[in-house]
């Protein structure tokens, strides 16, 4: 089975790198699934969970990452996802995210509310 090489990079670190059979991300045009052999693509990502179906020698699995905007580019079997902030689902402190969501709602801070919601959705998707 063909695979695609994925690099997910945040401003401060490489978040995840490896081989995948499918990556699903939210773009300004809607959710998109990218598989090996996809047409070349450049898109703007919106905040949301990126789901990576891993492949390769280590077997199949799923990686879920909360991303907060950015860009994705696919060409020649390589998918690059560049974002300012990204958090692997297992790095997310659910209780802290729930408190942040409550505080954002109390303060009517739509941006903070969206960030907390994305973290909670990513954590839930990984379960």
């Amino acid at each position: 089975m063909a695979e695609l090489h994925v690099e997910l990079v945040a401003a401060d670190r490489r978040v995840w790198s490896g081989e995948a059979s499918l990556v699903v991300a939210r773009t300004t045009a809607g959710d998109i699934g990218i598989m090996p052999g996809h047409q070349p693509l450049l898109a703007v990502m919106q905040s949301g969970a990126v789901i990576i179906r891993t492949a390769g020698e280590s077997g199949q699995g799923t990686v879920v990452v909360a991303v907060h905007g950015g860009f994705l580019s696919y060409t020649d079997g390589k998918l690059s996802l560049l974002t300012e902030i990204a958090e692997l689902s297992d790095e997310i402190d659910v209780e802290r995210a729930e408190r942040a969501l409550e505080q954002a709602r109390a303060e009517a801070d739509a941006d903070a509310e969206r960030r907390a919601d994305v973290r909670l959705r990513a954590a839930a998707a990984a379960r």
Side-chain angles (χ1 to χ4, degrees), residues 1-104:
M1 176 183 219
E3 297 173 358
L4 61 126
H5 183 73
V6 179
E7 294 281 337
L8 197 154
V9 180
D12 61 341
R13 66 186 174 126
R14 179 187 300 171
V15 178
W16 192 85
S17 178
E19 303 303 314
S21 58
L22 171 67
V23 176
V24 178
R26 175 153 295 163
T27 71
T28 56
D31 289 351
I32 186 168
I34 300 168
M35 298 175 70
H38 197 284
Q39 292 293 321
L41 172 70
L42 180 62
V44 176
M45 291 190 299
Q46 289 188 326
S47 294
V50 170
I51 300 170
I52 303 168
R53 301 278 185 224
T54 61
E57 294 177 13
S58 60
Q60 293 183 339
T62 302
V63 175
V64 181
V65 185
V67 300
H68 304 282
F71 300 91
L72 68 82
S73 170
Y74 177 79
T75 187
D76 297 328
K78 183 176 179 185
L79 177 64
S80 299
L81 300 106
L82 310 171
T83 183
E84 190 166 334
I85 301 170
E87 301 164 280
L88 291 163
S89 60
D90 60 359
E91 297 173 341
I92 297 170
D93 181 336
V94 174
E95 290 178 9
R96 182 175 172 215
E98 287 171 343
R99 287 192 307 270
L101 180 61
E102 290 172 15
Q103 182 175 352

